[in-house]
Amino acid sequence: MVTNNSGLATVTEDFVYMLAADDVLLPGFFEKSLTVLMQNPEADICCTHSANLFGTKLDINSDLKKPSTVPCYFNPKELVTVLSEGRLWIPGHTSIVRTEVCRQAGAYLPELKWYSDWFLIHVLAFRSGLCYVPDALAAFRVSHTSFCAKGERDRIVVSKLVWHIIELLNSPKYKDVQNSFFESGIFRNWPDLRHEITRSPRPWPDWQSKPIYPGARSKIKTAIKDFVYFVGGDRLLGFIKWQRRRL
């Protein structure tokens, strides 16, 4: 994240895209993304449909729902709706953002680690709306040893990061998008928050951190992935994930 912020500080163009080492761009990404951004100057961010690389297999996620079949713009209210209905997710590796607004929003917060880009792009999208391109134009390489994959196996660290996000959304700098984060339903992906959402869905300041530690089933799944990676690396692990998605 320090590297991202250092690069962001030197950018002089209107828009910026951060390409990670495990991301792959496909033809037409910049042309199509910038075209829809130029057509919708109120937007500060554009994302495309996401693709994944499982080993050497490219999966364009054709089975995932799309909120539109043509490039379009969702205003902040419409964005909350399509996210809550499960018709869209905003991948960081497919997102081009407006440079100056990105800086004003706090850029990539190092303390959020692998969630820093996730938090930033959602803050931008909930404030300005989102441009969307329905084509798969950027791929994320699924790797057992990536920064995110290794980090998310540490449930204690994940819990601390999630609750720090809640603290940020209770702060004056981000309170304007607090309701959008909640109403969009994107927090349901974190077990740490499900209890609080059920128990006390509205009074955010009253939510209490309750780390969810991995049970036996979670530990077994992790052990199996570690063994498969030890035997065949990302190529074998990717092949198995690819086959599971085809079933």
Side-chain angles (χ1 to χ4, degrees), residues 112-211:
L112 293 184
K113 300 182 183 294
W114 54 88
Y115 292 139
S116 61
D117 60 337
W118 178 91
F119 182 74
L120 173 63
I121 62 176
H122 282 85
V123 168
L124 298 182
F126 286 140
R127 284 176 175 169
S128 74
L130 173 80
C131 288
Y132 171 76
V133 178
D135 304 314
L137 300 174
F140 173 78
R141 190 181 302 278
V142 180
S143 172
H144 191 59
T145 57
S146 70
F147 177 50
C148 177
K150 290 191 293 185
E152 288 195 327
R153 290 197 287 273
D154 189 330
R155 292 298 309 152
I156 296 177
V157 172
V158 168
S159 181
K160 290 179 179 178
L161 294 178
V162 170
W163 286 98
H164 185 51
I165 289 173
I166 296 299
E167 292 173 357
L168 288 171
L169 291 172
N170 276 320
S171 70
K173 187 175 182 67
Y174 301 107
K175 204 171 184 67
D176 62 307
V177 292
Q178 183 189 84
N179 286 338
S180 296
F181 267 83
F182 178 80
E183 293 170 2
S184 66
I186 57 178
F187 281 140
R188 298 184 191 124
N189 296 326
W190 281 314
D192 307 73
L193 295 179
R194 288 177 192 154
H195 171 77
E196 290 301 313
I197 291 173
T198 301
R199 182 188 68 83
S200 181
R202 297 308 301 175
W204 292 58
D206 295 335
W207 285 12
Q208 300 295 319
S209 175
K210 292 186 63 176

Side-chain angles (χ1 to χ4, degrees), residues 7 42 44 88 147 167 185 236:
E42 64 270 47
D44 295 325
L88 173 69
F147 177 50
E167 292 173 357
L236 178 59

Side-chain angles (χ1 to χ4, degrees), residues 13-226:
E13 302 299 326
D14 292 338
F15 294 96
V16 61
Y17 170 73
M18 296 292 179
L19 180 66
D22 47 6
D23 297 340
V24 177
L25 293 184
L26 303 176
F29 174 76
F30 289 111
E31 294 88 339
K32 293 185 178 182
S33 298
L34 291 174
T35 295
V36 69
L37 277 168
M38 294 300 101
Q39 294 170 346
N40 298 277
E42 64 270 47
D44 295 325
I45 177 173
C46 177
C47 78
T48 77
H49 192 66
S50 174
N52 291 324
L53 274 173
F54 293 100
T56 59
K57 300 290 187 180
L58 178 66
D59 180 9
I60 62 171
N61 291 319
S62 57
D63 57 323
L64 293 182
K65 296 178 181 179
K66 295 182 179 181
S68 174
T69 57
V70 296
C72 64
Y73 166 73
F74 297 106
N75 65 40
K77 185 176 180 179
E78 292 170 336
L79 177 61
V80 169
T81 299
V82 295
L83 286 170
S84 67
E85 293 173 349
R87 295 190 287 133
L88 173 69
W89 68 293
I90 309 175
H93 66 282
T94 77
S95 297
I96 292 180
V97 300
R98 196 176 298 275
T99 306
E100 189 55 37
V101 177
C102 180
R103 293 174 180 143
Q104 294 171 358
Y108 299 88
L109 301 177
E111 65 268 27
L112 293 184
K113 300 182 183 294
W114 54 88
Y115 292 139
S116 61
D117 60 337
W118 178 91
F119 182 74
L120 173 63
I121 62 176
H122 282 85
V123 168
L124 298 182
F126 286 140
R127 284 176 175 169
S128 74
L130 173 80
C131 288
Y132 171 76
V133 178
D135 304 314
L137 300 174
F140 173 78
R141 190 181 302 278
V142 180
S143 172
H144 191 59
T145 57
S146 70
F147 177 50
C148 177
K150 290 191 293 185
E152 288 195 327
R153 290 197 287 273
D154 189 330
R155 292 298 309 152
I156 296 177
V157 172
V158 168
S159 181
K160 290 179 179 178
L161 294 178
V162 170
W163 286 98
H164 185 51
I165 289 173
I166 296 299
E167 292 173 357
L168 288 171
L169 291 172
N170 276 320
S171 70
K173 187 175 182 67
Y174 301 107
K175 204 171 184 67
D176 62 307
V177 292
Q178 183 189 84
N179 286 338
S180 296
F181 267 83
F182 178 80
E183 293 170 2
S184 66
I186 57 178
F187 281 140
R188 298 184 191 124
N189 296 326
W190 281 314
D192 307 73
L193 295 179
R194 288 177 192 154
H195 171 77
E196 290 301 313
I197 291 173
T198 301
R199 182 188 68 83
S200 181
R202 297 308 301 175
W204 292 58
D206 295 335
W207 285 12
Q208 300 295 319
S209 175
K210 292 186 63 176
I212 307 298
Y213 299 101
R217 183 177 179 181
S218 177
K219 291 179 179 178
I220 291 173
K221 288 177 65 177
T222 299
I224 291 174
K225 288 181 180 179
D226 289 341

